[in-house]
Amino acid sequence: MHAKKESRPARGAAGNTRPYSSPIDATLSRLEGVKRTGPGKWIARCPSHDDRHPSLSIKEADDGLVLIHCWTGCAAADVVAALGLSLADLFPGDRRTLADHSNGPMRRPFDYRDALFGVAHEVVVVRLIVESVRAGHPLSDEDAERLALAQERISDAARIAGGVL
Ligand SMILES: [Zn+2]
């Protein structure tokens, strides 16, 4: 595990957008029927459909990113929406800006490692948008812009690594 700053106050009242110290806390606290199945892995009832048996898998990646998957096919975007969260809430604080729908430039000079993490997160964002479209949701203008931003950021990362894309 990475060292995490514990400067944030303890859990706040429900309804706050950022009351939790980590994405996994925010996610698990809102789910029902949570059972731990292994290190960094849980199952729970999916909030996005009438789920009698836990069909939602939750995994916390090494960097704190929360991965969720409903085995009956709910899109990740629908699952987090049913929890009152957004996809950006699945990202740890220091990476959240990469998931936000903002159009800001990359925040600071990247090194290779940062560039690689940045690309990895952009790919997750793209996958989540693709999943949403596959689930039958129209591609919103916001999502289309976010896809363009992902390409831009991946190109930036390649440039930082000395390549041209
Ligand atoms: Zn579901």
Side-chain angles (χ1 to χ4, degrees), residues 9-114:
R11 299 170 180 206
N16 288 353
T17 50
R18 303 268 188 261
Y20 298 97
S21 58
S22 67
I24 193 68
D25 285 345
T27 304
L28 294 177
S29 68
R30 286 170 165 82
L31 288 167
E32 292 181 354
V34 177
K35 288 196 185 95
R36 190 166 178 272
T37 56
K41 289 180 184 173
W42 298 264
I43 55 170
R45 290 206 297 277
C46 175
S48 185
H49 74 274
D50 183 18
D51 193 13
R52 300 190 175 196
H53 306 287
S55 53
L56 190 71
S57 289
I58 306 102
K59 188 177 175 206
E60 184 183 32
D62 287 345
D63 63 358
L65 173 69
V66 173
L67 304 166
I68 54 177
H69 181 74
C70 172
W71 294 97
T72 67
C74 297
D78 289 338
V79 175
V80 292
L83 294 175
L85 298 172
S86 70
L87 293 172
D89 291 312
L90 301 179
F91 288 75
D94 57 338
R95 303 288 171 199
R96 187 168 284 133
T97 51
L98 292 170
D100 280 345
H101 285 275
S102 67
N103 289 315
M106 287 187 166
R107 289 174 302 131
R108 57 191 170 81
F110 267 49
D111 62 18
Y112 288 109
R113 187 181 159 90
D114 282 340

